[in-house]
Amino acid sequence: MRNGDSRAGEPLIAAAGIWKIFGPKADRILGTEDAELSRTELRERTGCVAAVRDVSFEVWPGEVFVVMGLSGSGKSTLVRTLIRLIEPTAGTIRIADQDVTAASSAELRELRRHRVSMVFQHFGLLAHRRVIDNVAFGLEIRGMAKDERMGRARELLRLVGLDEVENQFPDQLSGGMQQRVGVARAFATNPAVMLYDEPFSALDPLIRRDMQDEVCRLQEETGQTMVFITHDLSEALRLGDRIAIMRDGAIVQLGTPEELVGSPADEYVQNFVRDVPRSHVLTLRWIMRDPEAGEALDGQRLDVGTTVRDALPLLAGSERPVLAVDGDQIVGVVDRVTVINAIAGEGG
């Protein structure tokens, strides 16, 4: 979905009214005045902590949905409730038409084995098994024949650029290579959904960027639906089709990178995006204006999804407005004034 909105049909993931409260008699908090208390007040009065507070969202097939927030915001707890690694206190979760919140233990095992894969910060590789055996492990659990699962594992290792190390052991690989093995293992079972819980936060910046590139490439090649958890705004903006920003267990804004940067919902979000160069994120769709009466519409054209930064060379070299187009249709006009107004807030 990274090059367009394809939200047709039903969402692949639908979470509604998710709460997770830790502490004594947590299930008695909901429906009372205590549920409306701040996190600090709730803990002082009841000894309970509301890690996730009434969160609802949908994720569409092929979408990269990012949940971000500072440490303690509830993002990792939220992603674990999706497959009930942590039991939600209240709410409903559906994944690919399955009611996860009503699933039996056996159904949950099937969900985790066949439909959803999770990649954690800590790779969890089996040290005594070769790289190829690690990648094939989930298929082995499924009972797939050895030749078939090894063929699939080699295919995935080629995809992540590790086909030359298939017979090495995890401790012979760098941290970035180990993470690639973890990603390949998660992809091996061809899940409907990939859940990433801050998988790259322990890697150094250069390797981290390489792994972000890898995720983008894999998503484009496979069309995989992904939910990605991070505390890093640049990572969120780079990967996400849409981003949910969490604070104290609740979502404070959910939107595209462009919506977050161009129209932050409150001061908290504004502080998050303050240092983001607007011209790197905002597209012509965000800054364009309607044509004026009698204005000639025969200027140079740019796709409406072009970022302001990428449009600047053409705008700087043209005395006439540039036409923003969606396919063959002219949807707006961009001139130097609209660009100046759009990037006026950079760095502020």
Side-chain angles (χ1 to χ4, degrees):
M1 186 186 283
R2 296 193 58 77
N3 295 317
D5 191 336
S6 59
R7 281 184 275 175
E10 295 296 319
L12 190 58
I13 302 174
I18 303 301
W19 286 79
K20 179 57 188 179
I21 303 176
F22 294 99
K25 302 177 181 178
D27 57 332
R28 300 186 184 180
I29 300 294
L30 296 183
T32 71
E33 292 182 355
D34 288 342
E36 304 302 319
L37 296 174
S38 70
R39 184 176 281 185
T40 300
E41 291 170 330
L42 179 66
R43 183 169 55 246
E44 290 175 350
R45 179 179 292 187
T46 68
C48 293
V49 175
V52 178
R53 305 174 67 99
D54 196 21
V55 167
S56 300
F57 63 91
E58 295 173 329
V59 181
W60 300 85
E63 182 174 23
V64 179
F65 185 87
V66 175
V67 182
M68 72 157 297
L70 301 177
S71 178
S73 62
K75 57 190 185 298
S76 289
T77 300
L78 175 63
V79 76
R80 283 167 165 77
T81 66
L82 296 180
I83 52 175
R84 286 174 54 194
L85 292 176
I86 292 176
E87 290 287 345
T89 305
T92 59
I93 300 161
R94 299 190 68 84
I95 297 179
D97 296 326
Q98 181 176 1
D99 186 342
V100 178
T101 40
S104 66
S105 296
E107 289 170 333
L108 280 177
R109 282 195 297 273
E110 286 299 297
L111 177 76
R112 295 166 187 167
R113 286 180 181 175
H114 296 279
R115 311 189 83 172
V116 181
S117 285
M118 195 158 185
V119 181
F120 296 94
Q121 175 180 334
H122 303 291
F123 319 129
L125 301 180
L126 302 171
H128 63 288
R129 290 196 172 208
R130 298 174 303 161
V131 164
I132 192 168
D133 297 318
N134 269 276
V135 174
F137 183 70
L139 301 174
E140 182 180 349
I141 295 297
R142 281 190 183 183
M144 181 181 287
K146 184 174 181 179
D147 287 348
E148 189 178 355
R149 70 175 182 259
M150 288 302 178
R152 173 66 175 160
R154 288 191 177 93
E155 176 187 332
L156 267 298
L157 285 172
R158 281 194 297 273
L159 197 61
V160 299
L162 291 178
D163 46 312
E164 295 183 358
V165 300
E166 66 174 57
N167 291 314
Q168 294 187 29
F169 290 87
D171 64 1
Q172 297 175 286
L173 307 181
S174 68
M177 293 170 77
Q178 289 182 36
Q179 191 61 276
R180 279 186 167 86
V181 176
V183 170
R185 181 177 60 185
F187 267 92
T189 56
N190 195 28
V193 179
M194 294 278 289
L195 304 179
Y196 291 87
D197 188 10
E198 299 207 63
F200 311 142
S201 59
L203 303 177
D204 70 52
L206 290 179
I207 296 175
R208 182 172 186 151
R209 188 170 181 86
D210 286 345
M211 288 306 303
Q212 292 168 4
D213 288 340
E214 196 72 25
V215 167
C216 289
R217 185 178 65 81
L218 288 171
Q219 200 282 333
E220 289 171 0
E221 289 190 16
T222 66
Q224 192 69 254
T225 304
M226 300 179 180
V227 177
F228 198 100
I229 307 300
T230 184
H231 64 270
D232 185 295
L233 179 63
S234 62
E235 186 166 73
L237 293 173
R238 193 154 185 249
L239 297 177
D241 293 306
R242 287 187 301 147
I243 301 168
I245 295 185
M246 293 189 71
R247 181 186 188 189
D248 293 338
I251 291 178
V252 294
Q253 186 169 0
L254 196 168
T256 64
E258 196 168 14
E259 288 167 341
L260 267 59
V261 171
S263 185
D266 59 17
E267 186 176 357
Y268 181 75
V269 180
Q270 191 171 30
N271 286 334
F272 256 117
V273 303
R274 175 174 293 163
D275 296 326
V276 176
R278 291 164 61 89
S279 61
H280 291 202
V281 179
L282 300 185
T283 66
L284 301 190
R285 180 182 287 106
W286 190 263
I287 70 168
M288 66 187 184
R289 59 172 174 80
D290 292 331
E292 297 173 356
E295 187 171 17
L297 298 180
D298 58 354
Q300 298 190 72
R301 299 184 173 205
L302 281 176
D303 185 88
V304 71
T306 305
T307 63
V308 173
R309 176 180 62 174
D310 290 341
L312 281 174
L314 183 58
L315 284 159
S318 175
E319 295 296 327
R320 307 182 66 181
V322 169
L323 307 178
V325 297
D326 188 355
D328 294 328
Q329 182 180 2
I330 298 171
V331 293
V333 175
V334 180
D335 55 28
R336 292 177 182 177
V337 173
T338 57
V339 170
I340 291 169
N341 289 338
I343 65 177
E346 288 199 357

